[in-house]
Amino acid sequence: MAAPESMAAPESVAAPEPATPAQPWTEERVARLVEDAVGRAPAAPDATATVRVCGGVARVDLDLVVEHGAHLPSVAEAVRRRIGVRVGAETGLTVEAVTVTVVDLRLPDGAAPAYDESGADADAWTAT
């Protein structure tokens, strides 16, 4: 007759491996994470981030290059959401604020600027 299950000998369980300590999330690492998250947005191909971390809270200042013709308020809001989700998920930090500054517009390939500085002064000030 077999022994009831409650009387069976306990199986040996191996001790879990100690977890490798996670690298601390420095401000520079969080800034690179922010720049990577923004770079994946189609209307904002280039960004430079400055991050300040205090305790479990991060504040982000972002200089952004945006595709010409994009609706800037929509791009800024989408970038803010993307940063909050990505930084929160990967670092555990709470993103308190994201300040977005559009520093440049990227024109479509082959498009000439609407204003050409090289000849503007000469044409505007020609004496009659």
Side-chain angles (χ1 to χ4, degrees):
M1 177 176 207
E5 287 184 32
S6 62
M7 298 182 134
E11 295 180 20
S12 63
V13 178
E17 292 289 321
T20 305
Q23 293 179 348
W25 283 97
T26 63
E27 292 175 345
E28 292 80 19
R29 285 186 68 207
V30 176
R32 284 194 310 266
L33 178 67
V34 166
E35 290 168 0
D36 180 63
V38 173
R40 296 174 190 269
D46 193 20
T48 303
T50 303
V51 177
R52 290 179 307 278
V53 177
C54 184
V57 177
R59 297 181 64 91
V60 178
D61 291 323
L62 189 66
D63 290 341
L64 196 60
V65 176
V66 179
E67 293 289 337
H68 181 267
H71 185 252
L72 298 180
S74 298
V75 171
E77 186 57 35
V79 164
R80 283 187 187 100
R81 277 194 311 270
R82 180 182 297 263
I83 289 170
V85 169
R86 177 101 182 259
V87 170
E90 293 197 25
T91 68
L93 296 170
T94 300
V95 178
E96 182 178 69
V98 178
T99 303
V100 177
T101 304
V102 176
V103 295
D104 201 0
L105 294 175
R106 180 164 293 162
L107 296 174
D109 290 336
Y115 177 76
D116 181 15
E117 283 187 35
S118 63
D121 291 336
D123 292 339
W125 299 105
T126 303
T128 57

